[in-house]
Amino acid sequence: MHLSDNPATPARPAVSDWIRRAPKAVLHDHLDGGLRPATIVELAEECGYTALPTEDPAALAVWFREAADSGSLERYLETFAHTCAVMQTREALVRIAAECAEDLAADGVVYAEVRYAPEQHLEAGLTLDEVVEAVNDGFREGERRTGGRITVRALLTGMRHTDRSLEIAELTVAHRDNGVAGFDIAGGEIGNPPTRHLAAFQHLKRENCHFTIHAGEAVGAESIHEAVQVCGTERIGHGVRITDDIAEDGTLGRLAAYVRDNRIALEVCPTSNLQTGAAEDYRSHPIDELRRLGFRITLNTDNRLVSGTTMSEEFQHMADAFGYGPEVFEEFTVAALEAAFLPLPERERLIEELVRPGYAAL
Ligand SMILES: [Zn+2]
């Protein structure tokens, strides 16, 4: 994670009504980056966690956003220390996962893959399996509460700086018929290339299991090359630094051409990219160039609380920056479902029954 010295602090936009109503799909959303501030305060009180910067939910939301915008890596990482601190019991995980599903559904999201690192929720004695079961139960509860308006799947994340990725890959395979759709690797990209976790990816390949890799956020094309060509990732988390392999005149290098031609989806998270310095502002974000060049682009939140965003707000920022209308957001949403780690008939059903009619009605 690289943070810029002078990060942009984009204002939260007023969201147009049609954007709020538009059906959405999110593939890159971190469970521990998207809690409700009021829930953090309540859970902190219940579990005796006293290190929150404030116990006022509204002030806490502002604190998270400012910490992410501060340009300080320590402050940015501190945000996740607070959220993970209150995510250590089964009850807390069920509640947070259920609320996550509710919040996404209320924002018009019809399909979500939400990721988290099970190893970060073991401090109060839960096992890895118990963590996964709790989050899955929470997602099912959230789906029920929304009357089935949203389908949520989990991605299990291995951390780049630890050595548990093979264990988490095995955990992913063990729970794949129970709400876990795939695996991811996350954490500081610099000094932690994805090839350090090759055993995990090879295990997933042997088991015919899906995975994505955070790459091309802080480190450029070489990180994407390792993720795609050495590790064999199906999607790329962020991936915006693929522009390193694209000339000024739009000529694609071999790697960029491979990614585009194989329709490898990029999980693009514009607001997060501004905060980490991967882009300067929305208008200069490479998403529009990449889209025009034919890359498979999906639009995502990354961390809703920490980045102070929602899917609707990401849509709005892109509409404001590039003049995108419903047809572009329909394209992004269909692209996300085409790249989803869900059986083909289920992806087709979501596209034909929810996404196409939803956009036609706008
Ligand atoms: Zn991420």
Side-chain angles (χ1 to χ4, degrees):
M1 181 69 63
H2 160 82
L3 293 172
S4 74
D5 298 331
N6 186 21
T9 308
R12 297 190 75 152
V15 175
S16 306
D17 182 54
W18 70 268
I19 284 182
R20 219 170 271 298
R21 286 187 287 120
K24 304 165 188 83
V26 59
L27 302 180
H28 192 131
D29 185 270
H30 292 263
L31 185 66
D32 55 328
L35 284 70
R36 294 179 188 171
T39 297
I40 297 175
V41 171
E42 282 175 36
L43 291 174
E45 199 179 324
E46 278 172 29
C47 71
Y49 180 69
T50 56
L52 287 183
T54 167
E55 271 145 43
D56 174 58
L60 188 62
V62 172
W63 180 88
F64 271 102
R65 176 65 183 255
E66 285 179 357
D69 266 341
S70 68
S72 155
L73 183 59
E74 289 69 32
R75 282 191 67 189
Y76 187 85
L77 294 178
E78 190 190 337
T79 62
F80 294 98
H82 292 309
T83 57
C84 287
V86 302
M87 299 175 76
Q88 301 299 330
T89 65
R90 173 179 162 83
E91 295 70 30
L93 289 168
V94 170
R95 173 178 174 176
I96 289 161
E99 290 178 352
C100 169
E102 286 183 304
D103 292 350
L104 291 170
D107 193 33
V109 176
V110 298
Y111 178 73
E113 288 178 10
V114 179
R115 61 187 76 192
Y116 65 98
E119 68 194 79
Q120 293 184 321
H121 307 284
L122 306 177
E123 283 168 26
L126 291 179
T127 64
L128 289 171
D129 287 297
E130 286 169 342
V131 170
V132 175
E133 284 158 14
V135 174
N136 284 342
D137 288 350
F139 286 149
R140 298 296 80 75
E141 171 64 21
E143 287 172 340
R144 264 194 302 278
R145 283 186 209 161
T146 65
R149 275 189 294 122
I150 186 169
T151 301
V152 185
R153 292 292 178 268
L155 302 182
L156 303 188
T157 296
M159 299 305 293
R160 286 175 182 275
H161 58 276
T162 70
D163 56 6
R164 301 187 77 159
S165 54
L166 178 56
E167 199 179 351
I168 304 304
E170 289 167 347
L171 192 69
T172 304
V173 173
H175 289 272
R176 67 168 138 187
D177 294 326
N178 186 28
V180 173
F183 174 85
D184 162 49
I185 198 113
E189 202 174 356
I190 297 164
N192 291 302
T195 41
R196 269 193 60 201
H197 303 280
L198 208 49
F201 302 122
Q202 287 172 342
H203 177 71
L204 293 160
K205 283 273 180 198
R206 274 195 300 272
E207 294 293 335
N208 305 299
C209 193
H210 296 295
F211 61 92
T212 178
I213 297 179
H214 275 77
E217 180 186 16
V219 181
E222 71 271 31
S223 172
I224 297 173
H225 181 261
E226 284 202 0
V228 172
Q229 304 299 13
V230 185
C231 302
T233 194
E234 292 167 78
R235 306 194 309 233
I236 304 170
H238 298 290
V240 287
R241 296 274 310 265
I242 193 71
T243 51
D244 289 4
D245 196 42
I246 301 172
E248 291 263 317
D249 67 356
T251 303
L252 272 58
R254 297 279 181 202
L255 173 66
Y258 187 94
V259 169
R260 182 192 65 179
D261 297 347
N262 283 283
R263 313 292 288 134
I264 296 175
L266 306 182
E267 303 162 357
V268 180
C269 312
T271 297
S272 170
N273 291 159
L274 265 53
Q275 291 175 322
T276 60
E280 288 221 333
D281 56 33
Y282 291 109
R283 279 174 177 279
S284 62
H285 192 285
I287 187 170
D288 192 55
E289 180 195 1
L290 293 170
R291 175 180 168 266
R292 282 185 283 106
L293 288 169
F295 285 84
R296 179 173 272 175
I297 301 294
T298 71
L299 195 57
N300 300 275
T301 48
D302 209 7
N303 296 291
R304 284 171 289 116
L305 168 65
V306 176
S307 292
T309 193
T310 60
M311 279 300 284
S312 286
E313 287 170 86
E314 294 301 308
F315 275 32
Q316 188 68 53
H317 283 304
M318 295 298 96
D320 294 344
F322 303 114
Y324 291 165
E327 64 292 343
V328 178
F329 297 119
E330 181 174 7
E331 175 192 309
F332 288 158
T333 304
V334 169
L337 285 165
E338 286 175 339
F341 295 158
L342 202 61
L344 182 64
E346 291 179 48
R347 282 149 48 194
E348 288 174 335
R349 185 188 67 78
L350 288 167
I351 293 171
E352 297 309 326
E353 292 181 11
L354 295 175
V355 177
R356 298 291 188 204
Y359 279 91
L362 287 181

